[in-house]
Amino acid sequence: MTPKKEDYLKIIFELGGKKKKISNKQIALSLNVAAGSVTEMVKKLVASHLVEHEPYAGISLTTEGAKAAEDLVRRHRLWETFLVNKLNYKLQDVHTDAEVLEHITSNNLMNHLEEFLGNPKRCPHGGVIPRQDGQYEEDSHKVLASVLDGQEAVVDRFIDNHDLLEYLADVKLNIGDKIKVTKHTPFEGPIELVLLASGEKMSIGYKAAHYIFVR
């Protein structure tokens, strides 16, 4: 399987494609690629029986695709955990090296790495890490953008996207923060919220709010 196909499988998994239909637009935004590129790759993934595509409804992983995505995600997130927790990488800088390492690592090494790290359940940006036996807790797929004015939530995880993680490092929104949404600005403007622990007010861009998951 090519690295490009693997990237698509991982992002479809992250966006919830094992449980629901994902749109081409979501994939394009998450990977920073053109819509036409997504269309072409989805055709290839369908031909490989890794995804199903229902016109006007969306894209979801097949059983085979989900299994492949889980293995890729496990490898990638274990290496991210190692690089951040043991080598002091910044979260926004970890993706590229984890991408390289996941492709050159044997299953035996991955199992030893998981044990060395203490069998972590989640990576540094909050994503679930499937275990050796394929079991894992289900991720939340409720995005910040869908939280109504006046509602409270807890920041659960971020999409593994360098630009997003750079942005979040600047605004200082973190995993585990308890928030209250105060206003959705019209015409795809920023979402205004308050951090409940400190009372600090914050604005999150409309696009970014679609790749921040909450519980």
Side-chain angles (χ1 to χ4, degrees):
M1 190 186 303
T2 66
K4 284 281 188 184
K5 282 186 177 181
E6 292 177 348
D7 287 344
Y8 273 78
L9 287 180
K10 284 188 292 187
I11 202 64
I12 293 168
F13 177 87
E14 273 209 77
L15 293 169
K18 185 179 175 183
K19 296 288 186 180
K20 62 179 184 178
K21 300 288 186 181
I22 304 302
S23 70
N24 283 35
K25 182 179 179 181
Q26 285 178 284
I27 298 171
L29 288 172
S30 296
L31 294 178
N32 287 325
V33 297
S37 298
V38 175
T39 300
E40 289 303 311
M41 179 56 75
V42 168
K43 288 179 181 177
K44 293 177 182 178
L45 293 173
V46 169
S48 299
H49 308 291
L50 296 170
V51 305
E52 295 176 345
H53 181 213
E54 186 178 340
Y56 308 107
I59 301 146
S60 60
L61 295 167
T62 62
T63 301
E64 182 181 351
K67 185 175 180 181
E70 287 163 357
D71 180 62
L72 291 166
V73 163
R74 176 172 181 264
R75 291 167 173 272
H76 188 84
R77 291 178 177 174
L78 281 172
W79 277 120
E80 285 187 328
T81 302
F82 174 79
L83 294 172
V84 171
N85 293 354
K86 302 301 181 180
L87 298 186
N88 300 317
Y89 272 59
K90 291 182 180 179
L91 180 57
Q92 59 268 35
D93 296 334
V94 76
H95 176 82
T96 301
D97 285 345
E99 190 86 3
V100 172
L101 289 165
E102 73 180 74
H103 292 120
I104 59 173
T105 308
S106 69
N107 288 331
N108 186 43
L109 177 53
M110 291 314 306
N111 293 340
H112 280 81
L113 180 63
E114 182 177 33
E115 184 178 350
F116 172 73
L117 293 170
N119 302 299
K121 293 184 178 180
R122 292 188 175 269
C123 73
H125 58 82
V128 68
I129 301 176
R131 300 197 303 260
Q132 293 182 39
D133 60 9
Q135 299 300 308
Y136 56 91
E137 300 173 2
E138 285 294 336
D139 273 329
S140 166
H141 296 114
K142 181 180 179 66
V143 296
L144 174 59
S146 69
V147 179
L148 301 178
D149 291 355
Q151 287 187 337
E152 298 179 3
V154 178
V155 178
D156 190 55
R157 66 184 178 95
F158 307 133
I159 284 287
D160 190 6
N161 175 284
H162 178 268
D163 291 340
L164 173 69
L165 296 174
E166 286 273 16
Y167 170 78
L168 293 173
D170 287 339
V171 300
K172 294 180 170 56
L173 184 67
N174 300 302
I175 303 294
D177 282 347
K178 296 180 180 179
I179 61 169
K180 181 177 182 178
V181 173
T182 56
K183 183 180 180 181
H184 285 68
T185 308
F187 300 107
E188 299 188 355
I191 292 170
E192 298 178 7
L193 54 87
V194 60
L195 299 178
L196 294 179
S198 65
E200 180 184 354
K201 295 181 180 179
M202 184 180 293
S203 293
I204 300 295
Y206 178 81
K207 178 181 176 181
H210 284 80
Y211 301 106
I212 298 168
F213 295 88
V214 299
R215 291 187 186 275

